[in-house]
């Protein structure tokens, strides 16, 4: 009897973890990849006004939406403080795309995977329909990545952070 209960508990835990496992996904031909809880499918490609390549994808899991945008900059930015300002400007632009009506304010100082050659910006938003959005922008001066998690319910911070910090530059 004890073996059956242990087996059932083990299978339940395994099923629970596997249904929410994080997997690595390549982001088109950018050389980047991201760790995500759901399959983003094929990334869409558009050109920005300055001819930078903009790759986008999203997926949904358990009433949570995961968005990812990667911009392969046409002209790199050597000064990482200036690159950080470009990320902020881009995130300001995204506020209208996401229909944001509330913002906590940008937090600076993040480093992707402790890499001093990266900069990260964090913010918490709310859109006009009441969705809670946690968003993070990253740059290394050659690429910009913006990842967002949104949900009507409270966002699971641990899962959100795994995704938001799960981008990798080449």
């Amino acid at each position: 009897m004890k073996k059956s209960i242990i087996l059932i508990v083990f299978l339940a835990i395994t099923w629970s973890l596997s249904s929410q496992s994080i997997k690595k996904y390549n982001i088109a031909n950018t050389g980047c990849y991201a760790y995500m809880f759901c399959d983003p499918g094929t990334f869409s490609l558009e050109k920005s006004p300055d001819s930078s390549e903009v790759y986008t994808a999203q997926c949904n899991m358990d009433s949570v939406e995961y968005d990812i945008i990667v911009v392969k900059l046409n002209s790199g930015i050597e000064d990482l403080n200036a690159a950080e300002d470009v990320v902020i400007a881009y995130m300001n632009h995204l506020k209208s795309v996401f229909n944001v009506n509330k913002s906590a304010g940008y937090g600076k100082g993040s480093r992707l995977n402790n890499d001093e050659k990266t900069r990260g910006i964090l913010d918490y938003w709310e859109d006009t329909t009441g969705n809670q959005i946690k968003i993070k922008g990253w740059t290394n001066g050659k690429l910009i990545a913006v990842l967002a998690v949104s949900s009507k319910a409270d966002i699971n911070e641990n899962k959100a952070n795994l995704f938001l910090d799960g981008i990798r530059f080449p």
Side-chain angles (χ1 to χ4, degrees):
M1 181 70 174
K2 284 184 179 180
K3 286 183 181 180
S4 321
I5 293 172
I6 291 171
L7 179 61
I8 291 170
V9 170
F10 174 76
L11 290 174
I13 291 171
T14 302
W15 177 80
S16 173
L17 292 175
S18 67
S19 69
Q20 298 196 1
S21 65
I22 196 160
K23 295 180 183 171
K24 178 179 168 182
Y25 294 93
N26 290 321
I27 301 170
N29 67 353
T30 62
C32 298
Y33 58 91
Y35 290 97
M36 300 180 72
F37 291 100
C38 47
D39 186 347
T42 303
F43 280 76
S44 299
L45 169 62
E46 293 184 24
K47 293 278 189 166
S48 69
D50 75 344
S51 296
S52 295
E53 296 174 353
V54 181
Y55 297 88
T56 59
Q58 74 170 204
C59 60
N60 296 285
M61 184 176 158
D62 299 332
S63 301
V64 177
E65 183 175 296
Y66 298 89
D67 292 280
I68 185 165
I69 303 165
V70 173
V71 181
K72 199 173 184 182
L73 296 171
N74 190 31
S75 299
I77 305 167
E78 288 190 37
D79 178 359
L80 286 176
N81 291 326
E84 186 176 62
D85 291 341
V86 171
V87 172
I88 291 171
Y90 190 62
M91 290 173 72
N92 282 335
H93 162 71
L94 290 176
K95 284 180 178 178
S96 64
V97 174
F98 281 84
N99 297 312
V100 172
N101 63 353
K102 292 181 185 174
S103 172
Y106 295 123
K108 296 181 176 184
S110 297
R111 301 293 183 267
L112 184 58
N113 208 27
N114 294 318
D115 183 353
E116 285 299 319
K117 296 178 183 172
T118 63
R119 297 294 182 269
I121 305 295
L122 171 68
D123 204 355
Y124 292 86
W125 296 346
E126 185 177 305
D127 71 13
T128 55
T129 65
N131 281 318
Q132 302 302 307
I133 303 167
K134 184 173 182 179
I135 188 163
K136 205 161 197 182
W138 295 104
T139 188
N140 65 359
K142 299 176 191 94
L143 295 146
I144 292 173
V146 178
L147 297 92
V149 177
S150 61
S151 176
K152 287 269 186 222
D154 288 339
I155 293 173
N156 178 315
E157 287 290 321
N158 291 329
K159 282 183 74 172
N161 290 339
L162 281 173
F163 169 68
L164 297 172
D165 297 337
I167 186 78
R168 295 296 180 263
F169 293 137

